[in-house]
Amino acid sequence: MKTASMLRLILGAALVLTALGGTVAQADTLDDIKKAGKVRIAIDLAIPPFGMSDDKMQPAGSDVDLARLLAKDLGVQLEIVTTTGPTRIPMLQTNKADLVVSTLSITPERAKVVDFSIPYADHPSVVAGLTSATIKQMSDLEGKKIGVVRGTTQDIDLTRQAKGAQLVRYEDDATMALAFASGQVDIIATARSLLPAISKKNPARTLEPKITMQTFYLAIGLRKDEPRLLAWVNDWVRANLQNGKLIDIYKTHHGIQIDPALLLKAGG
């Protein structure tokens, strides 16, 4: 698979850079986490079913459950650092978070500034619209308004591929979802797994996928040149894919059975 081959190249390059960077004396985030007794994980709580607040206003969702399991296995407390799509990577770079678990897709551009774990889920990216909309290919988007979250992979893809479209950029998924529900836009670009939650906001305006742009792989993000933390996180992802715990989390919240063999193969 072309996407899987590219993913292996990205992860391989990241491991080489990590090995080279490991020769330089520096602070070790894994030690810092253990000394502090807590791990700070950035999560967007406005993109159900990945991140949200439950009826008791407590954090919930697949990203939250993954983060809780990771903290438990690391033997520390979890501190959730609330983020949005555009602020996920800056929170790592400014040391406001130790890890990002927030629908973070592996891309060549992001791999230049952060490291990624091996993937824990796949994540199709789609252009979606009202069921009545006739959209089959990128050229059908010419002259149309499309809602997208600023700085996401969908924003990047549409900027490159839908030259004649009018992109309406929002700061987060929640704002984009409300814009669709209220009729400000009839077409959006987002993750396929978010469509049911967005459609529930206004049942009279049901979304359906029209174009699959590409399939991404979701991974845990961390700062560059942290070889010990990267190795621990990779071992943790492998173990919890193999024992089924990550599979169960994703199925519970998304109703989708992910293939651990595919993810382990993609991760190398």
Side-chain angles (χ1 to χ4, degrees), residues 95-168:
N95 197 31
K96 291 183 173 66
D98 303 310
L99 300 170
V100 171
V101 179
S102 187
T103 61
L104 189 64
S105 303
I106 299 172
T107 69
E109 292 83 3
R110 290 172 179 165
K112 294 175 183 177
V113 294
V114 297
D115 279 340
F116 291 100
S117 72
I118 64 172
Y120 62 82
D122 55 0
H123 196 49
S125 175
V126 301
V127 174
L130 295 170
T131 54
S132 59
T134 303
I135 302 170
K136 296 182 179 180
Q137 55 194 5
M138 285 294 181
S139 60
D140 294 333
L141 301 176
E142 185 171 355
K144 293 182 171 64
K145 290 199 304 183
I146 307 169
V148 67
V149 176
R150 187 186 310 278
T152 59
T153 52
Q154 292 86 15
D155 185 5
I156 294 168
D157 282 349
L158 286 176
T159 300
R160 291 173 178 168
Q161 300 176 38
K163 299 294 186 182
Q166 179 187 345
L167 301 188
V168 183

Side-chain angles (χ1 to χ4, degrees), residues 238-268:
R238 287 190 191 94
N240 285 281
L241 283 173
Q242 291 169 340
N243 66 25
K245 291 182 180 179
L246 291 179
I247 311 302
D248 289 344
I249 287 173
Y250 208 78
K251 187 173 182 180
T252 296
H253 290 281
H254 300 267
I256 298 171
Q257 182 77 33
I258 58 177
D259 183 352
L262 175 64
L263 298 173
L264 291 168
K265 181 179 179 181

